[in-house]
Amino acid sequence: MDASSKGKNRRRGKKRRKASNNQPLEASVDASEQTPSSSVSVSKRRKLGGATSTSSGGNKSTSFLDKMRARLSGGHFRMLNEKLYTCSGKDAFDYFKEDPELFSVYHTGYREQMSHWPEQPVNIIIKWLKSRNTSLTVADFGCGDAKLAKSVKNKVFSIDLVSKDPSVIACDMSQTPLESSSVDVAVFCLSLMGTNYPSYITEANRVLKPGGWLLIAEVKSRFDPNNGGADPEKFSEAVKNLGFSLVSKDMNNKMFILFYFRKKERSVSDRNISWPGLKPCIYKRR
Ligand code: SAH
């Protein structure tokens, strides 16, 4: 891209931002332009090479510095996002263990990005749970800020790589401390990120009671075979071979696909399941 077209693109920033609403987690938009700089710690900004806001210079330069900081933190979010989609759960766990602050950087960017979605899949799952008995025990695999647990009366085991809240179990979700056959509902809401994602679903199978539910919401483009994504039929087939039946599949939402599986009462897993690769949701670099 030459310098003049770069300039044009910059001027077209607004237009591109709008287009991002159709491109979840793969946005052509620079999320950093919209990420509030205040949510990134000063030490983190220094690490990223940004200046602090204590420098003088009036409103104009402060807002310039804020923009630069936001750009840096957005870039950092994109880097972390790519990391999570291209490494194993174990590597992701070790990575965040070394610097748990990165988890906050990731989630600030994640929240910003999700604020552009007309509907959040976690809210649909919350609605689904609220329409059922509160005695159902839930495991939320890759819970993020644990919104699900905070929104329902059910007992929820919230699991993620880092625990920012005492109620969250910090682990790689391919190996949780949950007991076998102990939960009624296993949820993966936009969390099948690691390259070893089948081991997360296998772990959910272990902790689910017979007849338990497996709810999976994923970014739609990951299931678009015409665009390098997985064939949803092949994915469902793999989960079925693990011992589930597909109760329904919701393709109505523009941004995500939602699968409702149920574990068979007497499940016998196939040993050689062919899992399709799930395309990483990576931001375009600029
Ligand atoms: N389910 C939440 C958050 C989605 S973001 C929501 O819908 O709002 C995806 C989350 O999955 C991130 O918090 C990430 O840390 C977590 N995650 C990804 N791989 C993981 C793994 N191997 N073990 C535990 N959590 C994981």
Side-chain angles (χ1 to χ4, degrees), residues 84 88-90 92 96 103 106-107 110 114 120-122 140-145 147 159-162 171-174 188-191 193-194 196 200:
L84 285 172
S88 69
K90 188 195 172 301
F96 280 126
F103 192 72
Y106 174 76
H107 274 283
Y110 175 80
M114 291 306 287
Q120 311 252 336
V122 69
D140 185 8
F141 287 82
C143 64
D145 58 8
K147 179 172 183 189
I159 298 154
D160 211 301
L161 294 165
V162 173
C171 66
D172 165 23
M173 62 192 174
S174 65
F188 290 92
C189 189
L190 308 180
S191 58
M193 303 178 88
N196 58 322
Y200 307 151

PDB file of all heavy atoms in Angstrom, residues 84 88-90 92 96 103 106-107 110 114 120-122 140-145 147 159-162 171-174 188-191 193-194 196 200, ligand 1:
ATOM      1  N   LEU A  84      -3.521 -16.124  21.539  1.00  0.00           N
ATOM      2  CA  LEU A  84      -4.482 -17.087  22.084  1.00  0.00           C
ATOM      3  C   LEU A  84      -5.055 -18.027  21.019  1.00  0.00           C
ATOM      4  O   LEU A  84      -5.360 -19.182  21.311  1.00  0.00           O
ATOM      5  CB  LEU A  84      -5.634 -16.353  22.778  1.00  0.00           C
ATOM      6  CG  LEU A  84      -5.314 -15.749  24.145  1.00  0.00           C
ATOM      7  CD1 LEU A  84      -6.462 -14.887  24.632  1.00  0.00           C
ATOM      8  CD2 LEU A  84      -5.010 -16.848  25.157  1.00  0.00           C
ATOM      9  N   SER A  88      -1.344 -23.431  22.109  1.00  0.00           N
ATOM     10  CA  SER A  88      -2.134 -24.406  22.866  1.00  0.00           C
ATOM     11  C   SER A  88      -2.624 -23.748  24.160  1.00  0.00           C
ATOM     12  O   SER A  88      -2.080 -22.722  24.597  1.00  0.00           O
ATOM     13  CB  SER A  88      -1.268 -25.616  23.213  1.00  0.00           C
ATOM     14  OG  SER A  88      -0.288 -25.226  24.160  1.00  0.00           O
ATOM     15  N   GLY A  89      -3.615 -24.350  24.785  1.00  0.00           N
ATOM     16  CA  GLY A  89      -4.121 -23.840  26.053  1.00  0.00           C
ATOM     17  C   GLY A  89      -3.034 -23.818  27.123  1.00  0.00           C
ATOM     18  O   GLY A  89      -2.973 -22.903  27.940  1.00  0.00           O
ATOM     19  N   LYS A  90      -2.164 -24.805  27.096  1.00  0.00           N
ATOM     20  CA  LYS A  90      -1.105 -24.877  28.100  1.00  0.00           C
ATOM     21  C   LYS A  90      -0.137 -23.709  27.930  1.00  0.00           C
ATOM     22  O   LYS A  90       0.250 -23.050  28.899  1.00  0.00           O
ATOM     23  CB  LYS A  90      -0.361 -26.224  27.996  1.00  0.00           C
ATOM     24  CG  LYS A  90       0.602 -26.426  29.143  1.00  0.00           C
ATOM     25  CD  LYS A  90       1.590 -27.531  28.925  1.00  0.00           C
ATOM     26  CE  LYS A  90       2.646 -27.558  30.018  1.00  0.00           C
ATOM     27  NZ  LYS A  90       3.428 -26.321  30.128  1.00  0.00           N
ATOM     28  N   ALA A  92      -0.834 -20.868  26.538  1.00  0.00           N
ATOM     29  CA  ALA A  92      -1.551 -19.632  26.891  1.00  0.00           C
ATOM     30  C   ALA A  92      -1.578 -19.461  28.412  1.00  0.00           C
ATOM     31  O   ALA A  92      -1.383 -18.360  28.938  1.00  0.00           O
ATOM     32  CB  ALA A  92      -2.972 -19.684  26.337  1.00  0.00           C
ATOM     33  N   PHE A  96       0.184 -16.224  30.421  1.00  0.00           N
ATOM     34  CA  PHE A  96      -0.518 -15.288  31.311  1.00  0.00           C
ATOM     35  C   PHE A  96      -0.055 -15.417  32.756  1.00  0.00           C
ATOM     36  O   PHE A  96      -0.149 -14.460  33.518  1.00  0.00           O
ATOM     37  CB  PHE A  96      -2.032 -15.478  31.221  1.00  0.00           C
ATOM     38  CG  PHE A  96      -2.661 -14.815  30.027  1.00  0.00           C
ATOM     39  CD1 PHE A  96      -3.450 -15.526  29.140  1.00  0.00           C
ATOM     40  CD2 PHE A  96      -2.483 -13.460  29.786  1.00  0.00           C
ATOM     41  CE1 PHE A  96      -4.026 -14.912  28.040  1.00  0.00           C
ATOM     42  CE2 PHE A  96      -3.052 -12.835  28.696  1.00  0.00           C
ATOM     43  CZ  PHE A  96      -3.829 -13.564  27.821  1.00  0.00           C
ATOM     44  N   PHE A 103      -3.761 -10.147  30.918  1.00  0.00           N
ATOM     45  CA  PHE A 103      -5.145 -10.620  30.828  1.00  0.00           C
ATOM     46  C   PHE A 103      -6.107  -9.419  30.838  1.00  0.00           C
ATOM     47  O   PHE A 103      -7.088  -9.395  30.112  1.00  0.00           O
ATOM     48  CB  PHE A 103      -5.422 -11.552  32.012  1.00  0.00           C
ATOM     49  CG  PHE A 103      -6.711 -12.331  31.900  1.00  0.00           C
ATOM     50  CD1 PHE A 103      -6.828 -13.367  30.997  1.00  0.00           C
ATOM     51  CD2 PHE A 103      -7.791 -12.025  32.718  1.00  0.00           C
ATOM     52  CE1 PHE A 103      -8.012 -14.091  30.893  1.00  0.00           C
ATOM     53  CE2 PHE A 103      -8.975 -12.749  32.627  1.00  0.00           C
ATOM     54  CZ  PHE A 103      -9.079 -13.778  31.715  1.00  0.00           C
ATOM     55  N   TYR A 106      -5.931  -7.740  27.513  1.00  0.00           N
ATOM     56  CA  TYR A 106      -6.718  -8.501  26.536  1.00  0.00           C
ATOM     57  C   TYR A 106      -8.217  -8.206  26.705  1.00  0.00           C
ATOM     58  O   TYR A 106      -8.922  -7.918  25.742  1.00  0.00           O
ATOM     59  CB  TYR A 106      -6.455 -10.015  26.669  1.00  0.00           C
ATOM     60  CG  TYR A 106      -7.376 -10.805  25.778  1.00  0.00           C
ATOM     61  CD1 TYR A 106      -7.144 -10.857  24.405  1.00  0.00           C
ATOM     62  CD2 TYR A 106      -8.522 -11.416  26.280  1.00  0.00           C
ATOM     63  CE1 TYR A 106      -8.020 -11.510  23.556  1.00  0.00           C
ATOM     64  CE2 TYR A 106      -9.403 -12.067  25.434  1.00  0.00           C
ATOM     65  CZ  TYR A 106      -9.145 -12.116  24.077  1.00  0.00           C
ATOM     66  OH  TYR A 106     -10.025 -12.752  23.234  1.00  0.00           O
ATOM     67  N   HIS A 107      -8.688  -8.254  27.954  1.00  0.00           N
ATOM     68  CA  HIS A 107     -10.130  -8.104  28.170  1.00  0.00           C
ATOM     69  C   HIS A 107     -10.638  -6.681  27.955  1.00  0.00           C
ATOM     70  O   HIS A 107     -11.798  -6.501  27.595  1.00  0.00           O
ATOM     71  CB  HIS A 107     -10.554  -8.700  29.513  1.00  0.00           C
ATOM     72  CG  HIS A 107     -10.833 -10.168  29.355  1.00  0.00           C
ATOM     73  ND1 HIS A 107     -11.987 -10.646  28.786  1.00  0.00           N
ATOM     74  CD2 HIS A 107     -10.063 -11.239  29.599  1.00  0.00           C
ATOM     75  CE1 HIS A 107     -11.929 -11.963  28.709  1.00  0.00           C
ATOM     76  NE2 HIS A 107     -10.770 -12.352  29.201  1.00  0.00           N
ATOM     77  N   TYR A 110     -11.074  -6.780  24.309  1.00  0.00           N
ATOM     78  CA  TYR A 110     -12.176  -7.697  23.991  1.00  0.00           C
ATOM     79  C   TYR A 110     -13.534  -6.998  24.217  1.00  0.00           C
ATOM     80  O   TYR A 110     -14.418  -7.039  23.378  1.00  0.00           O
ATOM     81  CB  TYR A 110     -12.060  -8.956  24.859  1.00  0.00           C
ATOM     82  CG  TYR A 110     -13.212  -9.921  24.700  1.00  0.00           C
ATOM     83  CD1 TYR A 110     -13.263 -10.790  23.616  1.00  0.00           C
ATOM     84  CD2 TYR A 110     -14.255  -9.946  25.626  1.00  0.00           C
ATOM     85  CE1 TYR A 110     -14.330 -11.656  23.459  1.00  0.00           C
ATOM     86  CE2 TYR A 110     -15.318 -10.816  25.477  1.00  0.00           C
ATOM     87  CZ  TYR A 110     -15.355 -11.674  24.393  1.00  0.00           C
ATOM     88  OH  TYR A 110     -16.422 -12.535  24.230  1.00  0.00           O
ATOM     89  N   MET A 114     -16.400  -6.237  21.512  1.00  0.00           N
ATOM     90  CA  MET A 114     -17.743  -6.811  21.656  1.00  0.00           C
ATOM     91  C   MET A 114     -18.822  -5.741  21.739  1.00  0.00           C
ATOM     92  O   MET A 114     -19.983  -6.016  21.451  1.00  0.00           O
ATOM     93  CB  MET A 114     -17.804  -7.687  22.922  1.00  0.00           C
ATOM     94  CG  MET A 114     -16.994  -8.951  22.830  1.00  0.00           C
ATOM     95  SD  MET A 114     -17.397  -9.940  21.393  1.00  0.00           S
ATOM     96  CE  MET A 114     -18.980 -10.610  21.852  1.00  0.00           C
ATOM     97  N   GLN A 120     -24.881 -10.059  22.151  1.00  0.00           N
ATOM     98  CA  GLN A 120     -23.767 -10.815  22.727  1.00  0.00           C
ATOM     99  C   GLN A 120     -24.240 -12.241  22.981  1.00  0.00           C
ATOM    100  O   GLN A 120     -25.264 -12.445  23.631  1.00  0.00           O
ATOM    101  CB  GLN A 120     -23.357 -10.200  24.068  1.00  0.00           C
ATOM    102  CG  GLN A 120     -23.148  -8.715  24.032  1.00  0.00           C
ATOM    103  CD  GLN A 120     -21.693  -8.332  24.141  1.00  0.00           C
ATOM    104  OE1 GLN A 120     -20.893  -9.095  24.674  1.00  0.00           O
ATOM    105  NE2 GLN A 120     -21.359  -7.179  23.640  1.00  0.00           N
ATOM    106  N   PRO A 121     -23.479 -13.228  22.505  1.00  0.00           N
ATOM    107  CA  PRO A 121     -23.935 -14.611  22.696  1.00  0.00           C
ATOM    108  C   PRO A 121     -24.111 -14.993  24.162  1.00  0.00           C
ATOM    109  O   PRO A 121     -24.994 -15.778  24.506  1.00  0.00           O
ATOM    110  CB  PRO A 121     -22.833 -15.449  22.029  1.00  0.00           C
ATOM    111  CG  PRO A 121     -21.686 -14.533  21.804  1.00  0.00           C
ATOM    112  CD  PRO A 121     -22.216 -13.145  21.752  1.00  0.00           C
ATOM    113  N   VAL A 122     -23.285 -14.403  25.040  1.00  0.00           N
ATOM    114  CA  VAL A 122     -23.401 -14.745  26.466  1.00  0.00           C
ATOM    115  C   VAL A 122     -24.796 -14.388  26.990  1.00  0.00           C
ATOM    116  O   VAL A 122     -25.364 -15.098  27.829  1.00  0.00           O
ATOM    117  CB  VAL A 122     -22.262 -14.086  27.294  1.00  0.00           C
ATOM    118  CG1 VAL A 122     -22.400 -12.587  27.390  1.00  0.00           C
ATOM    119  CG2 VAL A 122     -22.169 -14.696  28.691  1.00  0.00           C
ATOM    120  N   ASP A 140     -18.659 -22.800  33.150  1.00  0.00           N
ATOM    121  CA  ASP A 140     -18.451 -21.802  32.096  1.00  0.00           C
ATOM    122  C   ASP A 140     -16.970 -21.838  31.703  1.00  0.00           C
ATOM    123  O   ASP A 140     -16.111 -21.282  32.404  1.00  0.00           O
ATOM    124  CB  ASP A 140     -18.869 -20.417  32.627  1.00  0.00           C
ATOM    125  CG  ASP A 140     -18.791 -19.348  31.562  1.00  0.00           C
ATOM    126  OD1 ASP A 140     -18.564 -19.679  30.381  1.00  0.00           O
ATOM    127  OD2 ASP A 140     -18.972 -18.152  31.905  1.00  0.00           O
ATOM    128  N   PHE A 141     -16.685 -22.523  30.609  1.00  0.00           N
ATOM    129  CA  PHE A 141     -15.310 -22.714  30.144  1.00  0.00           C
ATOM    130  C   PHE A 141     -14.839 -21.474  29.374  1.00  0.00           C
ATOM    131  O   PHE A 141     -15.353 -21.189  28.298  1.00  0.00           O
ATOM    132  CB  PHE A 141     -15.220 -23.933  29.214  1.00  0.00           C
ATOM    133  CG  PHE A 141     -15.342 -25.264  29.897  1.00  0.00           C
ATOM    134  CD1 PHE A 141     -16.583 -25.788  30.210  1.00  0.00           C
ATOM    135  CD2 PHE A 141     -14.211 -26.003  30.215  1.00  0.00           C
ATOM    136  CE1 PHE A 141     -16.703 -27.025  30.828  1.00  0.00           C
ATOM    137  CE2 PHE A 141     -14.304 -27.249  30.834  1.00  0.00           C
ATOM    138  CZ  PHE A 141     -15.558 -27.755  31.142  1.00  0.00           C
ATOM    139  N   GLY A 142     -13.846 -20.749  29.919  1.00  0.00           N
ATOM    140  CA  GLY A 142     -13.384 -19.506  29.283  1.00  0.00           C
ATOM    141  C   GLY A 142     -14.375 -18.407  29.595  1.00  0.00           C
ATOM    142  O   GLY A 142     -14.972 -17.800  28.713  1.00  0.00           O
ATOM    143  N   CYS A 143     -14.544 -18.156  30.893  1.00  0.00           N
ATOM    144  CA  CYS A 143     -15.632 -17.282  31.375  1.00  0.00           C
ATOM    145  C   CYS A 143     -15.360 -15.791  31.179  1.00  0.00           C
ATOM    146  O   CYS A 143     -16.273 -14.981  31.290  1.00  0.00           O
ATOM    147  CB  CYS A 143     -15.879 -17.555  32.853  1.00  0.00           C
ATOM    148  SG  CYS A 143     -14.449 -17.119  33.887  1.00  0.00           S
ATOM    149  N   GLY A 144     -14.095 -15.407  30.937  1.00  0.00           N
ATOM    150  CA  GLY A 144     -13.780 -13.970  30.819  1.00  0.00           C
ATOM    151  C   GLY A 144     -14.051 -13.257  32.126  1.00  0.00           C
ATOM    152  O   GLY A 144     -13.537 -13.645  33.185  1.00  0.00           O
ATOM    153  N   ASP A 145     -14.930 -12.250  32.098  1.00  0.00           N
ATOM    154  CA  ASP A 145     -15.221 -11.504  33.329  1.00  0.00           C
ATOM    155  C   ASP A 145     -16.335 -12.157  34.152  1.00  0.00           C
ATOM    156  O   ASP A 145     -16.886 -11.535  35.052  1.00  0.00           O
ATOM    157  CB  ASP A 145     -15.539 -10.039  33.010  1.00  0.00           C
ATOM    158  CG  ASP A 145     -16.710  -9.909  32.060  1.00  0.00           C
ATOM    159  OD1 ASP A 145     -17.363 -10.924  31.761  1.00  0.00           O
ATOM    160  OD2 ASP A 145     -16.994  -8.777  31.608  1.00  0.00           O
ATOM    161  N   LYS A 147     -19.415 -12.966  33.544  1.00  0.00           N
ATOM    162  CA  LYS A 147     -20.737 -12.342  33.465  1.00  0.00           C
ATOM    163  C   LYS A 147     -21.847 -13.379  33.664  1.00  0.00           C
ATOM    164  O   LYS A 147     -22.851 -13.106  34.325  1.00  0.00           O
ATOM    165  CB  LYS A 147     -20.912 -11.667  32.097  1.00  0.00           C
ATOM    166  CG  LYS A 147     -22.262 -11.023  31.936  1.00  0.00           C
ATOM    167  CD  LYS A 147     -22.395 -10.203  30.701  1.00  0.00           C
ATOM    168  CE  LYS A 147     -23.777  -9.557  30.685  1.00  0.00           C
ATOM    169  NZ  LYS A 147     -24.070  -8.906  29.426  1.00  0.00           N
ATOM    170  N   ILE A 159     -14.411 -20.724  34.784  1.00  0.00           N
ATOM    171  CA  ILE A 159     -13.035 -21.194  34.514  1.00  0.00           C
ATOM    172  C   ILE A 159     -12.365 -20.286  33.491  1.00  0.00           C
ATOM    173  O   ILE A 159     -12.959 -19.974  32.457  1.00  0.00           O
ATOM    174  CB  ILE A 159     -13.087 -22.633  33.948  1.00  0.00           C
ATOM    175  CG1 ILE A 159     -13.708 -23.591  34.957  1.00  0.00           C
ATOM    176  CG2 ILE A 159     -11.710 -23.119  33.512  1.00  0.00           C
ATOM    177  CD1 ILE A 159     -14.361 -24.797  34.328  1.00  0.00           C
ATOM    178  N   ASP A 160     -11.158 -19.861  33.796  1.00  0.00           N
ATOM    179  CA  ASP A 160     -10.393 -19.100  32.790  1.00  0.00           C
ATOM    180  C   ASP A 160      -8.896 -19.216  33.092  1.00  0.00           C
ATOM    181  O   ASP A 160      -8.504 -19.755  34.123  1.00  0.00           O
ATOM    182  CB  ASP A 160     -10.840 -17.629  32.723  1.00  0.00           C
ATOM    183  CG  ASP A 160     -10.668 -17.070  31.311  1.00  0.00           C
ATOM    184  OD1 ASP A 160      -9.536 -17.073  30.800  1.00  0.00           O
ATOM    185  OD2 ASP A 160     -11.679 -16.635  30.725  1.00  0.00           O
ATOM    186  N   LEU A 161      -8.097 -18.671  32.196  1.00  0.00           N
ATOM    187  CA  LEU A 161      -6.639 -18.775  32.327  1.00  0.00           C
ATOM    188  C   LEU A 161      -6.108 -18.004  33.520  1.00  0.00           C
ATOM    189  O   LEU A 161      -5.086 -18.349  34.101  1.00  0.00           O
ATOM    190  CB  LEU A 161      -5.973 -18.250  31.045  1.00  0.00           C
ATOM    191  CG  LEU A 161      -6.244 -19.075  29.775  1.00  0.00           C
ATOM    192  CD1 LEU A 161      -5.858 -18.280  28.536  1.00  0.00           C
ATOM    193  CD2 LEU A 161      -5.484 -20.392  29.835  1.00  0.00           C
ATOM    194  N   VAL A 162      -6.803 -16.904  33.861  1.00  0.00           N
ATOM    195  CA  VAL A 162      -6.373 -16.042  34.969  1.00  0.00           C
ATOM    196  C   VAL A 162      -7.585 -15.787  35.851  1.00  0.00           C
ATOM    197  O   VAL A 162      -8.702 -15.637  35.354  1.00  0.00           O
ATOM    198  CB  VAL A 162      -5.820 -14.697  34.428  1.00  0.00           C
ATOM    199  CG1 VAL A 162      -5.529 -13.715  35.549  1.00  0.00           C
ATOM    200  CG2 VAL A 162      -4.559 -14.928  33.600  1.00  0.00           C
ATOM    201  N   CYS A 171      -7.118 -22.039  35.358  1.00  0.00           N
ATOM    202  CA  CYS A 171      -6.469 -23.247  34.821  1.00  0.00           C
ATOM    203  C   CYS A 171      -6.593 -23.254  33.309  1.00  0.00           C
ATOM    204  O   CYS A 171      -7.320 -22.451  32.743  1.00  0.00           O
ATOM    205  CB  CYS A 171      -7.108 -24.516  35.399  1.00  0.00           C
ATOM    206  SG  CYS A 171      -8.815 -24.762  34.911  1.00  0.00           S
ATOM    207  N   ASP A 172      -5.858 -24.158  32.710  1.00  0.00           N
ATOM    208  CA  ASP A 172      -6.072 -24.426  31.287  1.00  0.00           C
ATOM    209  C   ASP A 172      -7.295 -25.330  31.233  1.00  0.00           C
ATOM    210  O   ASP A 172      -7.325 -26.376  31.895  1.00  0.00           O
ATOM    211  CB  ASP A 172      -4.828 -25.104  30.714  1.00  0.00           C
ATOM    212  CG  ASP A 172      -5.087 -25.734  29.357  1.00  0.00           C
ATOM    213  OD1 ASP A 172      -6.034 -25.304  28.666  1.00  0.00           O
ATOM    214  OD2 ASP A 172      -4.341 -26.664  28.991  1.00  0.00           O
ATOM    215  N   MET A 173      -8.294 -24.952  30.478  1.00  0.00           N
ATOM    216  CA  MET A 173      -9.561 -25.686  30.555  1.00  0.00           C
ATOM    217  C   MET A 173      -9.534 -27.085  29.934  1.00  0.00           C
ATOM    218  O   MET A 173     -10.538 -27.765  29.937  1.00  0.00           O
ATOM    219  CB  MET A 173     -10.705 -24.861  29.996  1.00  0.00           C
ATOM    220  CG  MET A 173     -10.610 -24.476  28.558  1.00  0.00           C
ATOM    221  SD  MET A 173     -11.873 -23.243  28.219  1.00  0.00           S
ATOM    222  CE  MET A 173     -11.473 -22.814  26.544  1.00  0.00           C
ATOM    223  N   SER A 174      -8.374 -27.505  29.432  1.00  0.00           N
ATOM    224  CA  SER A 174      -8.312 -28.902  28.989  1.00  0.00           C
ATOM    225  C   SER A 174      -8.094 -29.823  30.198  1.00  0.00           C
ATOM    226  O   SER A 174      -8.239 -31.032  30.110  1.00  0.00           O
ATOM    227  CB  SER A 174      -7.190 -29.108  27.966  1.00  0.00           C
ATOM    228  OG  SER A 174      -5.938 -28.879  28.560  1.00  0.00           O
ATOM    229  N   PHE A 188     -19.272 -23.030  26.326  1.00  0.00           N
ATOM    230  CA  PHE A 188     -18.095 -22.419  25.694  1.00  0.00           C
ATOM    231  C   PHE A 188     -18.612 -21.232  24.905  1.00  0.00           C
ATOM    232  O   PHE A 188     -19.230 -21.403  23.851  1.00  0.00           O
ATOM    233  CB  PHE A 188     -17.407 -23.391  24.729  1.00  0.00           C
ATOM    234  CG  PHE A 188     -16.717 -24.540  25.393  1.00  0.00           C
ATOM    235  CD1 PHE A 188     -17.385 -25.744  25.608  1.00  0.00           C
ATOM    236  CD2 PHE A 188     -15.407 -24.424  25.816  1.00  0.00           C
ATOM    237  CE1 PHE A 188     -16.751 -26.814  26.227  1.00  0.00           C
ATOM    238  CE2 PHE A 188     -14.761 -25.485  26.441  1.00  0.00           C
ATOM    239  CZ  PHE A 188     -15.436 -26.683  26.653  1.00  0.00           C
ATOM    240  N   CYS A 189     -18.407 -20.044  25.428  1.00  0.00           N
ATOM    241  CA  CYS A 189     -18.913 -18.863  24.730  1.00  0.00           C
ATOM    242  C   CYS A 189     -17.710 -18.107  24.161  1.00  0.00           C
ATOM    243  O   CYS A 189     -16.983 -17.440  24.903  1.00  0.00           O
ATOM    244  CB  CYS A 189     -19.724 -18.012  25.699  1.00  0.00           C
ATOM    245  SG  CYS A 189     -20.587 -16.681  24.875  1.00  0.00           S
ATOM    246  N   LEU A 190     -17.476 -18.263  22.878  1.00  0.00           N
ATOM    247  CA  LEU A 190     -16.364 -17.619  22.151  1.00  0.00           C
ATOM    248  C   LEU A 190     -15.005 -17.994  22.757  1.00  0.00           C
ATOM    249  O   LEU A 190     -14.077 -17.193  22.739  1.00  0.00           O
ATOM    250  CB  LEU A 190     -16.526 -16.090  22.137  1.00  0.00           C
ATOM    251  CG  LEU A 190     -17.872 -15.558  21.644  1.00  0.00           C
ATOM    252  CD1 LEU A 190     -17.883 -14.036  21.691  1.00  0.00           C
ATOM    253  CD2 LEU A 190     -18.180 -16.028  20.231  1.00  0.00           C
ATOM    254  N   SER A 191     -14.907 -19.185  23.313  1.00  0.00           N
ATOM    255  CA  SER A 191     -13.678 -19.525  24.040  1.00  0.00           C
ATOM    256  C   SER A 191     -12.891 -20.698  23.458  1.00  0.00           C
ATOM    257  O   SER A 191     -11.876 -21.090  24.026  1.00  0.00           O
ATOM    258  CB  SER A 191     -14.019 -19.794  25.516  1.00  0.00           C
ATOM    259  OG  SER A 191     -14.963 -20.831  25.607  1.00  0.00           O
ATOM    260  N   MET A 193     -10.465 -21.183  21.684  1.00  0.00           N
ATOM    261  CA  MET A 193      -9.401 -20.417  21.023  1.00  0.00           C
ATOM    262  C   MET A 193      -8.140 -21.232  20.744  1.00  0.00           C
ATOM    263  O   MET A 193      -7.486 -21.025  19.731  1.00  0.00           O
ATOM    264  CB  MET A 193      -9.021 -19.214  21.887  1.00  0.00           C
ATOM    265  CG  MET A 193     -10.186 -18.308  22.194  1.00  0.00           C
ATOM    266  SD  MET A 193      -9.727 -16.926  23.255  1.00  0.00           S
ATOM    267  CE  MET A 193      -9.208 -15.701  22.075  1.00  0.00           C
ATOM    268  N   GLY A 194      -7.765 -22.110  21.622  1.00  0.00           N
ATOM    269  CA  GLY A 194      -6.477 -22.799  21.498  1.00  0.00           C
ATOM    270  C   GLY A 194      -6.432 -23.762  20.321  1.00  0.00           C
ATOM    271  O   GLY A 194      -7.471 -24.229  19.837  1.00  0.00           O
ATOM    272  N   ASN A 196      -5.553 -26.663  20.453  1.00  0.00           N
ATOM    273  CA  ASN A 196      -5.969 -27.990  20.933  1.00  0.00           C
ATOM    274  C   ASN A 196      -7.426 -27.959  21.409  1.00  0.00           C
ATOM    275  O   ASN A 196      -7.778 -28.604  22.391  1.00  0.00           O
ATOM    276  CB  ASN A 196      -5.056 -28.454  22.073  1.00  0.00           C
ATOM    277  CG  ASN A 196      -5.044 -27.475  23.230  1.00  0.00           C
ATOM    278  OD1 ASN A 196      -5.080 -26.258  23.011  1.00  0.00           O
ATOM    279  ND2 ASN A 196      -5.020 -27.968  24.452  1.00  0.00           N
ATOM    280  N   TYR A 200     -10.616 -29.381  24.955  1.00  0.00           N
ATOM    281  CA  TYR A 200     -11.521 -28.638  25.859  1.00  0.00           C
ATOM    282  C   TYR A 200     -12.904 -29.305  25.858  1.00  0.00           C
ATOM    283  O   TYR A 200     -13.551 -29.438  26.896  1.00  0.00           O
ATOM    284  CB  TYR A 200     -11.687 -27.184  25.412  1.00  0.00           C
ATOM    285  CG  TYR A 200     -10.407 -26.409  25.201  1.00  0.00           C
ATOM    286  CD1 TYR A 200     -10.347 -25.363  24.281  1.00  0.00           C
ATOM    287  CD2 TYR A 200      -9.257 -26.699  25.929  1.00  0.00           C
ATOM    288  CE1 TYR A 200      -9.183 -24.632  24.087  1.00  0.00           C
ATOM    289  CE2 TYR A 200      -8.089 -25.986  25.736  1.00  0.00           C
ATOM    290  CZ  TYR A 200      -8.060 -24.947  24.810  1.00  0.00           C
ATOM    291  OH  TYR A 200      -6.904 -24.235  24.613  1.00  0.00           O
TER     292      TYR A 200
HETATM  293  N1  SAH B   1     -17.081 -16.363  27.627  1.00  0.00           N
HETATM  294  C1  SAH B   1     -16.799 -14.960  27.834  1.00  0.00           C
HETATM  295  C2  SAH B   1     -15.375 -14.557  27.444  1.00  0.00           C
HETATM  296  C3  SAH B   1     -14.981 -14.887  26.009  1.00  0.00           C
HETATM  297  S1  SAH B   1     -13.288 -14.404  25.636  1.00  0.00           S
HETATM  298  C4  SAH B   1     -17.806 -14.111  27.082  1.00  0.00           C
HETATM  299  O1  SAH B   1     -18.527 -14.624  26.245  1.00  0.00           O
HETATM  300  O2  SAH B   1     -17.877 -12.922  27.375  1.00  0.00           O
HETATM  301  C5  SAH B   1     -12.552 -16.008  25.624  1.00  0.00           C
HETATM  302  C6  SAH B   1     -12.020 -16.404  26.986  1.00  0.00           C
HETATM  303  O3  SAH B   1     -11.576 -17.758  26.897  1.00  0.00           O
HETATM  304  C7  SAH B   1     -10.839 -15.569  27.419  1.00  0.00           C
HETATM  305  O4  SAH B   1     -11.084 -15.014  28.688  1.00  0.00           O
HETATM  306  C8  SAH B   1      -9.696 -16.555  27.447  1.00  0.00           C
HETATM  307  O5  SAH B   1      -8.751 -16.290  28.460  1.00  0.00           O
HETATM  308  C9  SAH B   1     -10.435 -17.871  27.707  1.00  0.00           C
HETATM  309  N2  SAH B   1      -9.649 -19.041  27.304  1.00  0.00           N
HETATM  310  C10 SAH B   1      -9.091 -19.288  26.097  1.00  0.00           C
HETATM  311  N3  SAH B   1      -8.390 -20.435  26.140  1.00  0.00           N
HETATM  312  C11 SAH B   1      -8.496 -20.930  27.394  1.00  0.00           C
HETATM  313  C12 SAH B   1      -7.989 -22.101  28.052  1.00  0.00           C
HETATM  314  N4  SAH B   1      -7.214 -22.966  27.425  1.00  0.00           N
HETATM  315  N5  SAH B   1      -8.316 -22.285  29.352  1.00  0.00           N
HETATM  316  C13 SAH B   1      -9.103 -21.397  30.008  1.00  0.00           C
HETATM  317  N6  SAH B   1      -9.611 -20.280  29.442  1.00  0.00           N
HETATM  318  C14 SAH B   1      -9.318 -20.045  28.148  1.00  0.00           C
END
